[in-house]
Amino acid sequence: DAGVIQSPRHEVTEMGQEVTLRCKLISGHNSLFWYRQTMMRGLELLIYFNNNVPIDDSGMPEDRFSAKMPNASFSTLKIQPSEPRDSAVYFCASSPRLAGGSFRTDTQYFGPGTRLTVL
Amino acid sequence: KQEVTQIPAALSVPEGENLVLNCSFTDSAIYNLQWFRQDPGKGLTSLLLIQSSQREQTSGRLNASLDKSSGRSTLYIAASQPGDSATYLCAVSSTTSGTYKYIFGTGTRLKVLA
């Protein structure tokens, strides 16, 4: 198994531009998590999906951020317009299951991350 | 609000030493606690997952314990090696407002000297 795949690995853009980050889940996993990591705030959960449905997006910083799961194996995180303070490493992670109704989870498998720099 | 703290923030030890990393959390109503390893420029790799009903988990030279009532977990690394050098993060899962949250500590940066 190739693991969680993220693209691009590095992105440098100018303030005001649209940025799209991509994530491919491990086959058979049905939960998807987007995280952001900075030196100041550490690792923060932005949003998570279960069976393609967004469950909790309270960690999304503001309306400039949006995330989608167009199918069971793929997700995008879009920032429009981007700002310098969005510079961070963005990780996605997938998990094999969430037990129905209880939201317990098994191990999360992280992708290698996308390092975003907004100038 | 769940808060996760890791002490120390950084640690440097000679090879072969046994060491303990600490993690504390403020809300004992957790589903599980997970220890991760992060190498520079890489993603996180899960090391051990302890469910709330368990007291400890072991994998090779690693042993993680969980004391829910006191809000603490420790990661014990036996006979440390230079290859153990990395940042170690703990994360707890708990519910906030009825939905699942995974809250991470800020990590302990470990350096094992050859």
Side-chain angles (χ1 to χ4, degrees):
Chain A
D1 196 326
V4 175
I5 299 173
Q6 290 188 248
S7 65
R9 292 295 310 278
H10 302 273
E11 176 81 28
V12 180
T13 190
E14 293 188 346
M15 183 173 63
Q17 296 297 307
E18 177 180 297
V19 175
T20 299
L21 311 181
R22 297 173 176 81
C23 175
K24 185 176 186 300
L25 283 68
I26 294 173
S27 177
H29 286 194
N30 62 358
S31 300
L32 181 281
F33 306 81
W34 279 104
Y35 291 92
R36 177 172 68 177
Q37 187 175 43
T38 61
M39 289 292 293
M40 291 293 294
R41 299 175 68 90
L43 198 63
E44 302 173 283
L45 177 66
L46 300 177
I47 184 171
Y48 77 93
F49 295 82
N50 185 33
N51 292 325
N52 303 6
V53 176
I55 303 300
D56 187 341
D57 64 356
S58 60
M60 296 286 262
E62 47 198 274
D63 292 345
R64 297 185 297 107
F65 285 68
S66 62
K68 294 182 180 179
M69 277 198 78
N71 58 57
S73 61
F74 183 73
S75 178
T76 59
L77 177 67
K78 186 176 293 186
I79 308 173
Q80 166 64 19
S82 59
E83 297 182 3
R85 60 193 167 119
D86 301 331
S87 298
V89 180
Y90 290 81
F91 291 101
C92 73
S94 70
S95 186
R97 68 177 174 87
L98 286 178
S102 69
F103 293 104
R104 292 180 61 226
T105 187
D106 291 317
T107 301
Q108 294 191 7
Y109 297 82
F110 278 72
T114 295
R115 183 173 295 277
L116 173 65
T117 303
V118 183
L119 303 174
Chain B
K1 180 185 174 185
Q2 179 73 273
E3 294 182 2
V4 182
T5 304
Q6 290 187 247
I7 295 173
L11 184 62
S12 185
V13 300
E15 182 178 6
E17 196 162 294
N18 301 326
L19 56 99
V20 174
L21 306 182
N22 297 293
C23 172
S24 61
F25 46 95
T26 55
D27 184 354
S28 62
I30 65 171
Y31 285 130
N32 60 50
L33 182 144
Q34 197 162 343
W35 282 94
F36 291 87
R37 168 187 174 136
Q38 185 175 25
D39 292 284
K42 301 284 181 64
L44 280 69
T45 301
S46 178
L47 298 173
L48 290 165
L49 172 69
I50 311 176
Q51 302 291 355
S52 62
S53 58
Q54 298 174 322
R55 297 285 296 203
E56 65 177 346
Q57 282 286 329
T58 298
S59 176
R61 295 182 293 108
L62 305 180
N63 175 276
S65 66
L66 174 64
D67 184 344
K68 266 182 37 175
S69 60
S70 66
R72 292 180 183 177
S73 175
T74 60
L75 179 66
Y76 176 81
I77 303 177
S80 58
Q81 303 170 357
D84 294 331
S85 299
T87 297
Y88 291 80
L89 297 101
C90 71
V92 296
S93 67
S94 59
T95 58
T96 303
S97 302
T99 62
Y100 168 85
K101 286 283 192 187
Y102 223 1
I103 308 298
F104 280 79
T106 51
T108 293
R109 198 164 51 255
L110 172 66
K111 187 168 186 179
V112 181
L113 305 170

